[in-house]
Amino acid sequence: MERPATATVGGERIRVRGLVQGVGFRPTAWRLAREEGLTGEVGNDGAGLWIRIWGPEAVRARFRERLPGEAPPLARIEAMEVEPLGPGPAPARFSIASSGGGTARTGVAPDAPVCPACLAELLDPWDRRYRYPFLNCTHCGPRYTITNAIPYDRPSTTLAGFPLCGDCRREYADPGDRRFHAQPIACPACGPALALRDPDGRPEAGDPVAGALAHIRAGRTVAVKGVGGYHLTCDARDPGAVARLRARKERGGKPLAVMAANPASLARWARLGPAERDLLKAPARPIALLPKRGRAEVELPGIAPGLAEVGAMLPYAPLHYLLFHEAAGRPAGTDWLEGPQGLLLVMTSANPGGEPLATEPDEAHRRLAGIADAFLDHDRPIAVACDDSVVRLRSDGRPLLLRRGRGHAPRAVRLPRKGPAVLATGAWLKDTVCLTRGDEARLSQHIGDLANAAAVRAMEGAAAHLEALLETSPAAVACDLHPDFPSSHVAHRLAEERGIPVVPVQHHHAHIAAVAAEHRLEGPVLGLALDGVGLGEDGAAWGGEMLLVDGARFERLGHLTPLPLPGGDRAAREPWRMAAAALHLLGRGAEIETRFGHREGAGVLARMLERGAAGPWTTSAGRWFDAAAGLLGVREVCGYEAQAAMALEGIARARPQPAGEPGGFRVAGPELDPTPLLEALLEEPDPARFHAGLAAGLAEWARWAAAAHGLTRVALGGGCWANTLLAGMVRRRLEASGLTVLEAEAVPPGDGGLSLGQAWVAVQSLEEN
């Protein structure tokens, strides 16, 4: 609708904040304004999105009401502010303004899976984008992984080097088109292209997708460049192919993720209820940990050996769908996706030896030499590596985020209040970095363990990328209290180079602070921090802690009974050693050689325990789980972190829960002693009994601390709370006592969320000084 430019009507300016750029918000506002007969304009700038509209007040009010409800699917409105413009000459029409600059105050959208409209085009033989693996629109496609700067416009993305053809330019410029200002817009005439290459980099003839599938069906491994980096893929139903991939990647016994065309294609190997299907289909399209069916162990022996769950995901990039489409014989349309498909693919991150994810062809060919038999490459650059997110279901059906990557990063966590900018560098394992700005905290994607120089460089690169995207320089750097972590070294170096303070934060304080930050808590909270290990203020190895956390300060109220660590760090890899330590505590040291005589050094270890010279002591909850796993024969040696605890939980889930009120613990004021529980396990070897008894003990311990200190809120932080069986039992007991239980939601409960807690403690510390 147009009205004479001289018409005088009321007007207003609307400021919309949140994830409102690169998600189709401007054309949505344009459409709604035209439908309501309003005039004005809409545009992006560094603060978000602004709208100026003119028209009758009642019509403008209706426009404001419709805007949140009809926002694009990828948008997240955090605030709408309205101010009157007053009467004056109104524009003749509603238009879309070009983006402005300025310091960015809006969010960068996470990468999104291909939408139904684009999927229909991808599989339509009469569409000009038929089988084009880089199609997208304002409702889907890459965002974070292609963004170098904001405001989010094509010149700021990795698509800047692909000039638009005439057809794409017309779509891009048409406010009524689904691809209006879709910054990654592309088609076969002007966009990126696929290439299938051999290990020496030579192109292979023919259709790249068909060629890649032929390699997979022949039992070979193909490195596939995706949205945030390369995957190594092979036929998950071919045990020989899976075994070769494991051996080449030196994967050991770690589980491998699989990708299926749809939930129906997974039903043979995993139990899928409505909640599991929703988890798979979530916008992040994560790896979902699903309960195994019995046949999975036999038919997919190399995928998740010895575990009760299998990690599975659905296609999220057009390229993934093309592999399944090729395997199905290239049927027209999307109806074939409703039924089970035979192809099941291993999709594991291409990061050999714990190094960062490979992202570009030259790098991938070099680093994956000897692992991949072929490479499905493309020439759309990746601005930042981003691994798949990992989730599982809690006992109450809510999702629990275990790894925060593609689809979640770098979505903001809203803090309780505004504060100075802080960069936090995380710890050692499952590292992320976090940058705060105002009342927002943005975590990087999952970086991983800082076990090598390449991983440390990736962590530094992630921090620099966040600073560039947010146009923010920190006023301080936060890190773990442990001075020897690579992340701590980086924090101290950055602080020295920039002349800003460094704030070391005790590990478990940070775990509880992370939960408090995302729940926007102010004031004291009781924290139950359970994990593998973290350096305590007394220099000891903590890991089973009851804390009173109040902003930048905390008080250690209690801890689990300490256990010896026979062999130091080696004990964390060999649960039989923790079982031996438990036998010693129980006064049954003579049984160590009887039970573990087949383990080299068992006799020497028993004598060292008797002399009190077996190693340091720890309050770690993770080591208590290891002790139980060792005593029950579940796992004597681990091939990867928390393998014993995961296996123990899986067995416990399959067993009936003990009847009556479980015992097996002592709460002696500030100390929770689980040794009676382990002694009971020697008489009745039941992992379910261990979980129930530990949960009852933790709940009674927390109730004691809450009553003693007048607290009503309990925050659960630390990697042990990834055990949803334990967490559910503790939560139900505490809530039945009238306590409010707070758990990690926006970030992982373990070290993957630690940088958020470090940053929030540092913000409050700076405010106090």
Side-chain angles (χ1 to χ4, degrees), residues 471-746:
E471 295 183 335
T472 297
S473 295
V477 187
C479 64
D480 194 86
L481 184 64
H482 200 303
D484 294 332
F485 284 175
S487 54
S488 299
H489 294 166
V490 169
H492 283 271
R493 177 174 54 77
L494 289 176
E496 183 177 358
E497 291 172 354
R498 301 182 184 197
I500 57 178
V502 62
V503 183
V505 180
Q506 198 279 324
H507 193 88
H508 303 96
H509 183 192
H511 273 315
I512 302 305
V515 179
E518 72 159 296
H519 286 277
R520 308 191 73 183
L521 292 186
E522 299 273 23
V525 62
L526 186 67
L528 195 50
L530 307 181
D531 66 358
V533 67
L535 180 67
E537 289 190 319
D538 58 358
W542 293 6
E545 311 304 315
M546 183 72 75
L547 307 179
L548 193 162
V549 171
D550 191 359
R553 298 177 300 278
F554 82 96
E555 179 184 352
R556 190 188 193 197
L557 303 180
H559 54 77
L560 296 182
T561 295
L563 274 169
L565 277 173
D569 289 344
R570 188 174 177 183
R573 300 188 297 272
E574 300 181 13
W576 76 269
R577 292 174 174 268
M578 296 310 305
L583 288 170
H584 169 72
L585 282 187
L586 292 169
R588 300 172 64 160
E591 296 180 27
I592 294 175
E593 286 192 81
T594 304
R595 287 175 175 270
F596 303 111
H598 56 286
R599 292 292 173 188
E600 184 180 355
V604 173
L605 187 147
R607 291 188 288 275
M608 291 178 67
L609 282 167
E610 188 65 31
R611 296 197 308 270
W617 290 64
T618 181
T619 58
S620 166
R623 300 295 78 81
W624 279 98
F625 271 93
D626 288 344
L631 288 176
L632 292 171
V634 171
R635 196 87 205 176
E636 292 187 359
V637 177
C638 289
Y640 54 90
E641 186 202 8
Q643 185 179 14
M646 291 164 63
L648 194 68
E649 180 192 359
I651 297 170
R653 285 184 175 280
R655 300 279 181 88
Q657 292 301 306
E661 184 65 18
F665 59 87
R666 285 190 293 264
V667 177
E671 186 170 302
L672 173 63
D673 182 5
T675 49
L677 183 58
L678 294 191
E679 188 157 31
L681 290 183
L682 295 174
E683 309 304 322
E684 184 184 347
D686 183 2
R689 168 83 181 275
F690 173 75
H691 280 75
L694 183 58
L698 290 168
E700 183 173 318
W701 191 34
R703 285 193 294 266
W704 163 82
H709 296 273
L711 300 174
T712 59
R713 304 178 299 189
V714 183
L716 309 182
C720 289
W721 297 114
N723 182 326
T724 56
L725 178 62
L726 178 72
M729 290 190 290
V730 171
R731 181 179 63 250
R732 288 189 294 272
R733 286 177 172 271
L734 293 179
E735 289 176 342
S737 301
L739 296 170
T740 299
V741 179
L742 304 159
E743 299 175 89
E745 294 177 1

Side-chain angles (χ1 to χ4, degrees), residues 247-605:
R248 292 176 182 180
K249 196 185 175 187
E250 299 179 354
R251 183 73 177 175
K254 286 185 179 181
L256 297 166
V258 297
M259 178 180 283
N262 51 30
S265 303
L266 288 167
R268 181 177 178 86
W269 302 287
R271 292 185 175 88
L272 296 175
E276 287 80 10
R277 291 173 184 270
D278 289 345
L279 205 63
L280 285 166
K281 293 180 177 180
R285 288 293 171 88
I287 297 172
L289 301 187
L290 306 173
K292 278 183 181 177
R293 290 190 182 277
R295 65 184 65 180
E297 282 296 311
V298 176
E299 297 180 7
L300 305 175
I303 299 301
L307 297 179
E309 294 171 311
V310 58
M313 59 180 160
L314 302 182
Y316 54 86
L319 180 56
H320 300 148
Y321 278 102
L322 290 181
L323 287 168
F324 290 102
H325 187 235
E326 186 72 30
R330 299 193 181 187
T334 60
D335 289 348
W336 61 279
L337 281 167
E338 298 301 315
Q341 301 299 312
L343 182 65
L344 187 69
L345 297 173
V346 167
M347 280 282 180
T348 187
S349 306
N351 56 339
E355 295 181 356
L357 198 60
T359 58
E360 298 303 335
D362 288 347
E363 169 202 10
H365 286 241
R366 174 177 52 82
R367 291 175 54 202
L368 303 178
I371 301 177
D373 299 300
F375 293 80
L376 189 54
D377 298 327
H378 65 73
D379 56 353
R380 184 178 70 196
I382 295 173
V384 58
C386 200
D387 220 329
D388 299 307
S389 295
V390 180
V391 297
R392 72 185 304 198
L393 286 175
R394 303 178 199 262
S395 59
D396 60 1
R398 293 177 297 139
L400 171 66
L401 189 58
L402 298 177
R403 187 169 77 189
R404 195 175 194 266
R406 177 192 48 76
H408 288 280
R411 186 169 289 137
V413 175
R414 186 70 64 186
L415 297 174
R417 62 179 184 276
K418 293 183 178 180
V422 169
L423 174 68
T425 59
W428 181 292
L429 302 177
K430 302 178 178 65
D431 191 63
T432 62
V433 297
C434 177
L435 180 63
T436 70
R437 184 188 63 186
D439 63 349
E440 290 182 348
R442 294 190 184 273
L443 273 74
S444 73
Q445 67 283 8
H446 167 84
I447 296 164
D449 301 350
L450 302 183
N452 52 63
V456 177
R457 287 194 297 271
M459 182 264 285
E460 295 181 89
H465 190 245
L466 277 180
E467 289 188 44
L469 281 186
L470 303 181
E471 295 183 335
T472 297
S473 295
V477 187
C479 64
D480 194 86
L481 184 64
H482 200 303
D484 294 332
F485 284 175
S487 54
S488 299
H489 294 166
V490 169
H492 283 271
R493 177 174 54 77
L494 289 176
E496 183 177 358
E497 291 172 354
R498 301 182 184 197
I500 57 178
V502 62
V503 183
V505 180
Q506 198 279 324
H507 193 88
H508 303 96
H509 183 192
H511 273 315
I512 302 305
V515 179
E518 72 159 296
H519 286 277
R520 308 191 73 183
L521 292 186
E522 299 273 23
V525 62
L526 186 67
L528 195 50
L530 307 181
D531 66 358
V533 67
L535 180 67
E537 289 190 319
D538 58 358
W542 293 6
E545 311 304 315
M546 183 72 75
L547 307 179
L548 193 162
V549 171
D550 191 359
R553 298 177 300 278
F554 82 96
E555 179 184 352
R556 190 188 193 197
L557 303 180
H559 54 77
L560 296 182
T561 295
L563 274 169
L565 277 173
D569 289 344
R570 188 174 177 183
R573 300 188 297 272
E574 300 181 13
W576 76 269
R577 292 174 174 268
M578 296 310 305
L583 288 170
H584 169 72
L585 282 187
L586 292 169
R588 300 172 64 160
E591 296 180 27
I592 294 175
E593 286 192 81
T594 304
R595 287 175 175 270
F596 303 111
H598 56 286
R599 292 292 173 188
E600 184 180 355
V604 173
L605 187 147

Side-chain angles (χ1 to χ4, degrees), residues 11-16 51 53 57 60 64 79-85:
E12 64 191 44
R13 178 186 176 92
I14 304 173
R15 163 65 66 186
V16 186
I51 305 169
I53 55 171
E57 164 57 28
R60 285 184 276 126
R64 292 195 303 271
M80 282 179 57
E81 303 157 6
V82 182
E83 60 178 279
L85 292 174

